[in-house]
Amino acid sequence: MHVRQTIEAFGIPYVEYGHDEPEVEQRICIEFTPRTHHLDDYGIPEPAFKFCDEVAMRQQYDHCGSNNIDFSEELDIFRICAMELVEYRSQRGVLTDAPYWRYGIRYARGTRELIWFEEDELVRPVPPSEGEF
């Protein structure tokens, strides 16, 4: 219980107390059914990242790790803003290659432009307590 406000009536202060509403984490699930063909030889892979996941560029992450540079000082963190399932299909609609996910991030802060990266170009940043150092 905490003090919400103090009001005064006829010169007498009254303290209004209240309870905080429990914070509820809102989750939104976006589902879709991928288009499949009965002759497809490939399955649809699970995405490595999801919307709003924090990621870093693998090249920068590897550079920090190999040179004992503090991740918290040098690592740029981005959020996944978009996802795309890339499928190559023949004229008959059959997958000609294994599908994969691409992830869109806003590389420059404050812009609307998305830059697309493949899974192997991104990495989930490791918290310092679980780091390699």
Side-chain angles (χ1 to χ4, degrees), residues 10 14-15 17 20 23 27 32 43 51 66-67 69-70 72 85 89 102 111 113-114 119 121 125 127:
F10 304 107
Y14 294 94
V15 178
Y17 294 95
D20 285 333
E23 192 170 310
R27 293 184 175 265
F32 75 100
F51 288 110
S66 63
N67 293 306
I69 299 172
D70 185 10
S72 63
L85 180 61
R89 295 188 176 272
R102 290 187 339 151
T111 65
E113 179 183 356
L114 291 176
E119 192 173 299
E121 296 175 289

Side-chain angles (χ1 to χ4, degrees), residues 89-104:
R89 295 188 176 272
S90 69
Q91 298 256 346
R92 298 182 323 173
V94 178
L95 286 171
T96 58
D97 203 356
Y100 63 93
W101 290 95
R102 290 187 339 151
Y103 304 92

Side-chain angles (χ1 to χ4, degrees), residues 61-128:
Y61 183 86
D62 291 345
H63 173 76
C64 289
S66 63
N67 293 306
N68 291 335
I69 299 172
D70 185 10
F71 287 127
S72 63
E73 293 178 9
E74 293 295 322
L75 201 59
D76 295 321
I77 305 297
F78 304 95
R79 288 196 186 275
I80 301 291
C81 297
M83 297 170 60
E84 177 184 29
L85 180 61
V86 179
E87 302 173 295
Y88 294 105
R89 295 188 176 272
S90 69
Q91 298 256 346
R92 298 182 323 173
V94 178
L95 286 171
T96 58
D97 203 356
Y100 63 93
W101 290 95
R102 290 187 339 151
Y103 304 92
I105 64 169
R106 289 190 173 88
Y107 197 76
R109 306 229 190 282
T111 65
R112 293 184 181 204
E113 179 183 356
L114 291 176
I115 299 178
W116 293 92
F117 295 90
E118 293 184 16
E119 192 173 299
D120 61 346
E121 296 175 289
L122 301 173
V123 65
R124 193 177 315 277
V126 177

